[in-house]
Every structure is written in C-alpha cells, then in structure tokens.
Amino acid sequence: MGRSPCCEKSHTNKGAWTKEEDDRLIAHIRAHGEGGWRSLPKAAGLLRCGKSCRLRWINYLRPDLKRGNFSEEEDELIIKLHSILGNKWSLIAARLPGRTDNEIKNYWNSHIKRKLLSRGLDPGSHRPLCFPHHNNTTSPSRPAPDHEFPAFQNLKTPEITDFFQQYRSESSPIVPEASDAEEHPDLNLNLCISLPSNSPPRREQSFQRP
DNA sequence: AAATTAATCAACCGCGGTACA
DNA sequence: ATGTACCGCGGTTGATTAATT
C-alpha cells in the first residue's frame, strides 16, 4: 500500500495562485507566523493543501526574497557550490540570500548547464568534457559526432558550437585537467563549521546525531 | 502572419526523514 | 519499540512566453 495523498480528496485548488489566495496566505502568516502547514489552509480559508501553501510562501511570497536576474557573482557562487555539494539545492540556496532552492535549481537547469558546457565543462562533474569512449580513460577524448549525444542537442548555443569546432580542430585538450587539490583554492565556505544564520538547520542536522 | 519549436519557471509529486505519541 | 502525521527536498511536469521557421 502506498501512502495516502498529502491532500485529502476534498476539493482543493491546484495550479497557479490567484491574487486573492496570495493575500489570504500572506495575511494568515503575518498574523500567525510560519509553520503548521497542514492545518493552515483551513485556518486561512484556503482551498489548498498545506504543501501548496508552504511552497507558495517559501518560493514566492516570502518578503525576504530577492527579485530579478542572477548576478555574475551569484552565477559563479552557484557553480562553485554545486561543484562541491552537487544537487543539494537547499544547501546551495542557503548560501545565496534571498534565493530559493527551486529558483536556483531552475536557473541551473536552464542557464548554468549551458554556461558550463560553453566553457567545455561537464555540468555534472565540473570536469573537462569527457565523452563516452571505448578506451574508458578519464582524460578528455575527442568529441563524438553530435548524434551520439542527444542530451546535448537541446543545449546548443553559438558558444557551444564554437567550442566543439575549436575542440575538433585541436590536437590536445584545450581545457587543462584540474588537480583535485587545487580545485577551489579561493573558496572558503566553512561548510563543516557553520550553518547559515538566517535559516534554521534542516535535514542535515540529523548527521550530527550521535 | 501563422505554425512550430524551444525556453522558462511556478507548481506538483513521491519519498526520506524527523518528531512525537 | 512502533506507528504515523507532518515537513522539506529534489526530480519532474506542464502552462505560458519567446524565438524561430
């Protein structure tokens, strides 16, 4: 048996939020604070499940959210954090004030992946692109024809196209291999020591349990 | 100008984990 | 010790908007 759905079948709205729903949610949280998501909808007079309310607040209505495009500095910080943390979007978001995990995840998938590819880096590993190859070595090998990499097909930009052309015309890798020890010489994140002060520690605190 | 394809991103879903009875 | 209600996370979807043909 699977678990029951988070929202009982009773009539709940889904999809985009209306201004009226937003106003109700904001008013309720102003009056009662965050939390109690399960019971909030009823208390606030919303025909939504608690999860939906939480998501709307955290990702869109919270007053401390930054709006607008990511800065170049934010881009670089996201890239560095991702190279260390992987897809731990909430941990990454905790290091970018005013940004949400969802926003960063979306931004990663739609922009930064492309940016890394255009630099000749694999967005997953942050290593120089290494294409599937019969010899199975870790050193970069020459790119195979595009049709062998459908995953890249929809990420093409002029920069990426340029990269492939340049890569094909060179006899040696254009991106030197980074040594593990030197990978982040300028980054001191104190990841082991501190958690961000502006948000409560979340799941990862479980790691501290004896 | 219309049709088609791609990009964006808000919102959803299922699951893992915690708190607490 | 065990069950379960709930929270938060990460992957994914799909509606809308933008770009391209």
Side-chain angles (χ1 to χ4, degrees):
Chain A
M1 291 293 283
R3 63 173 68 186
S4 58
C6 85
C7 335
E8 41 267 57
K9 304 244 169 175
S10 73
H11 200 257
T12 53
N13 294 338
K14 287 185 143 192
W17 281 63
T18 64
K19 180 75 168 54
E20 289 70 28
E21 288 178 310
D22 281 350
D23 290 344
R24 276 185 184 273
L25 182 55
I26 291 167
H28 183 271
I29 292 177
R30 279 210 187 114
H32 302 97
E34 276 186 45
W37 298 111
R38 187 79 171 198
S39 55
L40 181 148
K42 193 174 220 173
L46 284 163
L47 295 172
R48 290 271 176 178
C49 71
K51 256 181 146 167
S52 181
C53 295
R54 176 186 166 274
L55 203 69
R56 184 63 179 168
W57 175 256
I58 297 287
N59 286 333
Y60 197 79
L61 297 177
R62 254 167 54 201
D64 56 328
L65 288 180
K66 189 182 286 185
R67 307 278 179 180
N69 296 337
F70 285 82
S71 68
E72 189 57 35
E73 289 72 28
E74 285 178 310
D75 278 19
E76 292 309 314
L77 184 53
I78 291 168
I79 291 168
K80 284 177 178 173
L81 288 167
H82 186 275
S83 73
I84 297 166
L85 300 168
N87 295 0
K88 301 293 181 204
W89 306 115
S90 67
L91 286 180
I92 294 171
R95 296 273 163 182
L96 283 111
R99 303 295 190 183
T100 71
D101 52 2
N102 204 43
E103 184 179 21
I104 293 171
K105 177 173 59 183
N106 281 333
Y107 187 59
W108 176 269
N109 285 324
S110 62
H111 292 87
I112 298 188
K113 268 186 183 174
R114 243 193 301 278
K115 191 168 183 171
L116 289 181
L117 284 171
S118 75
R119 295 177 183 176
L121 296 172
D122 170 39
S125 66
H126 296 260
R127 316 281 299 184
L129 280 168
C130 182
F131 295 86
H133 202 265
H134 61 274
N135 64 10
N136 201 28
T137 60
T138 56
S139 63
S141 53
R142 306 193 72 66
D146 292 344
H147 67 263
E148 292 182 25
F149 303 103
F152 294 143
Q153 294 285 42
N154 59 355
L155 291 170
K156 278 194 173 176
T157 67
E159 292 80 10
I160 293 171
T161 302
D162 287 350
F163 165 75
F164 278 109
Q165 284 171 353
Q166 188 182 0
Y167 203 104
R168 288 194 172 103
S169 69
E170 303 255 339
S171 58
S172 60
I174 59 176
V175 182
E177 283 244 47
S179 114
D180 287 342
E182 299 169 355
E183 234 164 326
H184 306 288
D186 57 336
L187 190 61
N188 176 10
L189 294 163
N190 295 327
L191 287 172
C192 303
I193 302 169
S194 66
L195 283 162
S197 56
N198 61 344
S199 65
R202 300 188 179 168
R203 258 200 238 196
E204 282 63 29
Q205 76 185 124
S206 64
F207 298 148
Q208 298 164 2
R209 288 167 81 96

